[in-house]
Amino acid sequence: MAHHLPDELIAHIFQFLCHEDREEAAVVCKDWFRASLDPALHKHTVITLRASASAGKHLPDLGQRKSPNLVITYVEGSNADFLLKEVGRHLGPHLRSLCLKGCDITPKMFLGMITHCRNLSSLDISCCNSLFMSGTLLQKESDQEVARSAFQKLKKLKLGSIRFLSDALFNKFVATTPHLQDLSLAGCNIAFETDPFRKGGRGEDSVTVLTFSNVLAFISRQAANLRVLDFSLTSITSEALTSLANVKNLCLEQLVLLRCTNLTDEGIISITRMQPTMKELTVVSCRSVGIPAIKAVTSKLVSLEKLVLNKLESIPQDTFELMTTNLSKLKHLSLANNLNLKGSQMLKGLQGATFSHLRSLNLQGCPQVDDDVITCICDAAPDLEVLNLSSSLAITDLSIQRISAQLHHLRRLNLSWCKRISDFGILGLEKDCPAISAPDEASKHSSDRYTRTHSNMGFFRPPKFEEVILTISEEDMQEFLRSTTRVGIDAIKTLEELNLSACDHLTDCCIQESISFPRLQVLNLSMCSNITDRSLVSIANKNPYLRTLNVSKCHQVTDVGVCTVACGSSRLSSLSIPQCPITVKSLEIMGEHCRHLKFLDLSQCSVPMAAVDKLRDRLPSLQTVVTSYLDGDISTLYQPEFF
């Protein structure tokens, strides 16, 4: 009876399926296939296309999907003009977002394509230098009319890293975008100090350089609409930022400043004073931005929902106290790679604080983040969904146990390069639990485990947890785990992404017992040198929604584990197994079972290229195969012309 249901009803049912399951259902019958093409199912679908002759035959079929997002990665061939027109004709009417970043296109190709794109809301032409090189873009009135029709609904425009962008070209282009809200000029050569090389008399547009005064004039004209600006990788000065902040009627919601080396505290302070309703601010690698600017941000921008202050020279001692007091709406906070961020100042601001709205926290590369800080974070922000603690060398198993016990809403957790994490933390065990404690005090000191008395031991070796765990039989360990009360990392039932890369004290024991999540999609165990095929067998059996698995440089993983993953993980789309001792057998099993595989990394594996070619033929879904150092090739990256 299902094939007699209306297409609308079938499409509504399909909304509750993941992408892979919808693909499987779409081939059941023609009615289900038609229902799978409903535009409501493709709101987040992105078509990535290499515009070459071989891609042309796929365009009519792609047009049926009515996907609103298109990314063109490369344009080639003598008939590129015709091909891009065909792309526009088949895909353009439904497009909302178009990305041509880095494509070698001419004005003729560009106009021929956008003629059919009447509903664009986002356009990315960053690094498209050939589009602006001739200086003839939109020179004719007819070309301007085509652009105005295509950009009538355009709200987001990226013009990053275009070397040939001048005042004249910039003005012609933005004149066709009357409703622009988001403008990115990241990486552009903008003259901030002076206005040289004018074409003629005073006030005429420069035809050789893009000046900030010209950009500021445009911002003044569009002040009522503009909400987002990106001046990353430019030489913007504090004077220029102050002028920007003082534009009449400008009400910024987001400002991005990445690696702006000429920017100082004064510019940031002026923004906080004149744009107090800003919701998102990103300041990264601005070496002259220091304590006064950060204090102004955390004190005056009370409407902030996202704050990124990465890789700065210094952070105020009372940063967290000011955040707790003033930034009550903060949802996303990133303080990554701030080497001067003190553990004591974090504790002072976090103890007793409440970040009830915080959903994402990034403390990657902050060396003084320790167990006490993690404890305070778990108490202050129990509703965290994303937590990045990569390279936090001071945290131990105690932190993992706190996270497992208190952060029940986590979706993404990054613990890569946390070298002091062991099986105890993942399993939720105390290090002195009876089942694995040494029988007497003398052997306890020689077991290579951290103890409360390790400081009295004199010279001792770094802990090697696997030496302890392997002294216990598997049956005894499993019996103990079943009988004891513990909270392991598997208590986080909402987890979708887990990164344990380079946590080299982890063994099969914790992977088998605790890596079991009903929603896990991405798992990274690269450089976990102690895991074996037993871990992969358990992963395949206990994580039904796994899509991405990385076990690179896990030298004990063989065909047994890889074949089990290939057979048991039906949704697998990305697999990385560089430097693993696999053979042709693994590729044969992948060809039989991995119908959704799109990415495969086989670098430095002992498999012949002939087997890789055979796998490509058997898996039409395979988009990228990395085969570096395979059959003597130093670097090989296979990508089909259409994917």
Side-chain angles (χ1 to χ4, degrees):
M1 295 296 293
H3 62 279
H4 295 301
L5 294 175
D7 290 351
E8 294 80 5
L9 181 56
I10 300 175
H12 178 72
I13 296 173
F14 279 5
Q15 289 182 354
F16 299 95
L17 303 179
C18 67
H19 178 71
E20 288 78 8
D21 290 343
R22 285 206 300 267
E23 286 185 342
E24 295 289 340
V27 299
V28 171
C29 61
K30 290 183 178 179
D31 290 340
W32 287 24
F33 176 73
R34 286 197 305 270
S36 71
L37 300 178
D38 191 298
L41 299 174
H42 296 277
K43 291 180 180 179
H44 304 292
T45 302
V46 179
I47 296 177
T48 305
L49 180 70
R50 288 172 64 91
S52 60
S54 60
K57 59 184 179 181
H58 299 283
L59 295 178
D61 295 333
L62 291 174
Q64 295 184 46
R65 295 187 177 274
K66 301 179 181 179
S67 173
N69 307 299
L70 174 64
V71 177
I72 297 181
T73 60
Y74 190 70
V75 177
E76 65 178 4
S78 57
N79 62 339
D81 289 358
F82 173 76
L83 181 61
L84 288 182
K85 285 182 182 178
E86 288 297 290
V87 170
R89 186 166 68 89
H90 290 286
L91 308 181
H94 315 293
L95 287 183
R96 299 291 185 275
S97 173
L98 174 62
C99 178
L100 297 168
K101 184 177 182 179
C103 289
D104 187 16
I105 59 173
T106 64
K108 183 179 179 182
M109 296 179 190
F110 179 69
L111 292 169
M113 182 179 182
I114 66 170
T115 300
H116 306 278
C117 304
R118 302 302 178 90
N119 297 297
L120 283 179
S121 61
S122 175
L123 175 64
D124 185 354
I125 51 175
S126 301
C127 305
C128 292
N129 287 296
S130 56
L131 181 61
F132 295 86
M133 185 184 300
S134 64
T136 60
L137 181 63
L138 303 183
Q139 192 174 46
K140 299 178 182 178
E141 181 61 35
S142 58
D143 295 344
Q144 296 176 21
E145 186 59 36
V146 169
R148 276 192 290 268
S149 299
F151 302 151
Q152 191 63 33
K153 300 178 182 179
L154 195 69
K155 295 181 180 179
K156 184 176 182 179
L157 176 62
K158 291 187 177 182
L159 298 172
S161 301
I162 298 177
R163 296 193 302 270
F164 304 102
L165 194 61
S166 64
D167 286 348
L169 288 172
F170 176 80
N171 290 342
K172 286 179 182 178
F173 202 95
V174 297
T176 63
T177 60
H179 303 294
L180 199 62
Q181 297 180 4
D182 184 337
L183 175 63
S184 173
L185 294 171
C188 289
N189 295 323
I190 305 175
F192 287 94
E193 300 294 342
T194 58
D195 297 347
F197 311 118
R198 288 289 182 180
K199 177 181 177 182
R202 183 183 180 87
E204 291 190 17
D205 298 335
S206 171
V207 295
T208 56
V209 70
L210 179 64
T211 63
F212 179 71
S213 59
N214 184 77
V215 175
L216 191 63
F218 166 73
I219 293 173
S220 300
R221 294 193 300 269
Q222 292 280 6
N225 294 328
L226 278 176
R227 294 293 179 268
V228 181
L229 290 173
D230 186 352
F231 284 101
S232 299
L233 299 167
T234 65
S235 56
I236 189 170
T237 62
S238 291
E239 293 77 9
L241 200 57
T242 301
S243 301
L244 176 65
N246 287 309
V247 170
K248 187 178 180 180
N249 297 326
L250 181 65
C251 187
L252 284 180
E253 294 182 359
Q254 180 180 352
L255 179 63
V256 182
L257 300 168
L258 168 66
R259 290 176 59 186
C260 298
T261 55
N262 293 338
L263 192 62
T264 61
D265 292 333
E266 289 73 17
I268 301 296
I269 293 173
S270 65
I271 282 288
T272 62
R273 185 173 60 252
M274 302 305 299
Q275 302 291 329
T277 59
M278 191 179 299
K279 295 181 179 180
E280 298 184 20
L281 176 63
T282 299
V283 182
V284 178
S285 297
C286 298
R287 60 190 180 192
S288 298
V289 173
I291 292 177
I294 299 174
K295 281 194 171 185
V297 168
T298 52
S299 300
K300 298 179 181 179
L301 297 183
V302 296
S303 298
L304 274 181
E305 296 179 4
K306 180 178 180 180
L307 178 59
V308 179
L309 299 173
N310 295 347
K311 207 172 182 179
L312 301 180
E313 291 293 326
S314 56
I315 298 290
Q317 294 289 332
D318 56 350
T319 297
F320 281 91
E321 295 177 76
L322 292 173
M323 288 182 184
T324 304
T325 305
N326 302 316
L327 306 185
S328 60
K329 299 180 181 179
L330 195 64
K331 296 180 180 179
H332 308 280
L333 174 63
S334 178
L335 297 170
N337 299 310
N338 285 310
L339 302 181
N340 295 318
L341 185 62
K342 304 295 183 182
S344 57
Q345 70 185 83
M346 286 188 279
L347 284 174
K348 186 177 179 181
L350 287 170
Q351 285 176 340
T354 301
F355 285 93
S356 58
H357 292 86
L358 197 64
R359 297 294 180 267
S360 173
L361 178 61
N362 184 358
L363 294 175
Q364 175 181 350
C366 298
Q368 296 198 37
V369 173
D370 56 15
D371 293 337
D372 292 333
V373 173
I374 298 302
T375 299
C376 291
I377 289 173
C378 292
D379 293 335
D383 294 328
L384 272 178
E385 297 178 0
V386 180
L387 179 59
N388 188 346
L389 298 174
S390 177
S391 302
S392 297
L393 302 179
I395 68 172
T396 68
D397 293 327
L398 179 61
S399 293
I400 311 306
Q401 293 170 5
R402 290 283 188 181
I403 291 170
S404 302
Q406 294 182 251
L407 302 184
H408 298 298
H409 302 287
L410 273 183
R411 293 186 295 108
R412 297 200 294 271
L413 177 60
N414 189 342
L415 299 171
S416 61
W417 294 93
C418 295
K419 291 289 190 176
R420 298 178 66 183
I421 293 176
S422 68
D423 289 30
F424 291 105
I426 302 297
L427 291 170
L429 294 175
E430 296 291 336
K431 289 196 173 183
D432 293 325
C433 58
I436 54 179
S437 293
D440 53 51
E441 200 65 23
S443 60
K444 188 175 184 180
H445 284 264
S446 61
S447 64
D448 288 332
R449 293 191 296 113
Y450 278 126
T451 67
R452 293 187 180 92
T453 59
H454 69 78
S455 60
N456 299 322
M457 295 178 350
F459 180 78
F460 64 98
R461 292 178 295 165
K464 294 182 179 179
F465 179 79
E466 66 275 7
E467 293 182 6
V468 180
I469 208 70
L470 292 177
T471 63
I472 309 165
S473 68
E474 183 177 348
E475 294 77 11
D476 291 344
M477 190 63 189
Q478 289 180 349
E479 179 63 27
F480 173 73
L481 292 174
R482 284 193 294 268
S483 62
T484 189
T485 301
R486 63 187 181 88
V487 180
I489 199 171
D490 53 336
I492 312 174
K493 301 300 183 183
T494 56
L495 207 61
E496 297 176 3
E497 297 182 18
L498 177 61
N499 191 340
L500 295 171
S501 175
C503 296
D504 48 15
H505 292 304
L506 303 184
T507 68
D508 287 334
C509 180
C510 74
I511 303 298
Q512 287 178 292
E513 295 297 328
S514 295
I515 305 302
S516 175
F517 304 96
R519 301 182 186 179
L520 191 68
Q521 299 179 21
V522 180
L523 177 62
N524 190 339
L525 295 173
S526 63
M527 294 180 283
C528 293
S529 55
N530 292 315
I531 69 170
T532 68
D533 292 328
R534 294 164 55 194
S535 292
L536 267 66
V537 171
S538 175
I539 289 168
N541 293 332
K542 296 182 179 180
N543 301 276
Y545 285 91
L546 189 66
R547 298 182 183 180
T548 300
L549 177 63
N550 187 340
V551 289
S552 62
K553 300 183 180 180
C554 296
H555 306 293
Q556 299 186 63
V557 170
T558 66
D559 286 334
V560 176
V562 174
C563 291
T564 304
V565 169
C567 296
S569 301
S570 59
R571 293 175 170 83
L572 195 67
S573 62
S574 176
L575 179 62
S576 298
I577 48 177
Q579 300 185 29
C580 293
I582 65 167
T583 66
V584 175
K585 180 181 178 181
S586 292
L587 301 189
E588 292 175 350
I589 298 298
M590 289 181 205
E592 293 176 7
H593 298 278
C594 297
R595 291 179 295 173
H596 300 292
L597 193 64
K598 297 178 181 178
F599 177 87
L600 178 63
D601 190 348
L602 296 169
S603 302
Q604 302 184 49
C605 293
S606 300
V607 294
M609 282 299 299
V612 178
D613 294 334
K614 186 176 180 180
L615 178 65
R616 294 170 183 165
D617 296 335
R618 297 188 65 178
L619 293 178
S621 64
L622 198 58
Q623 298 175 0
T624 304
V625 183
V626 183
T627 56
S628 302
Y629 295 96
L630 220 62
D631 280 1
D633 291 336
I634 294 179
S635 181
T636 305
L637 177 64
Y638 164 77
Q639 286 183 321
E641 294 195 349
F642 166 76
F643 54 91

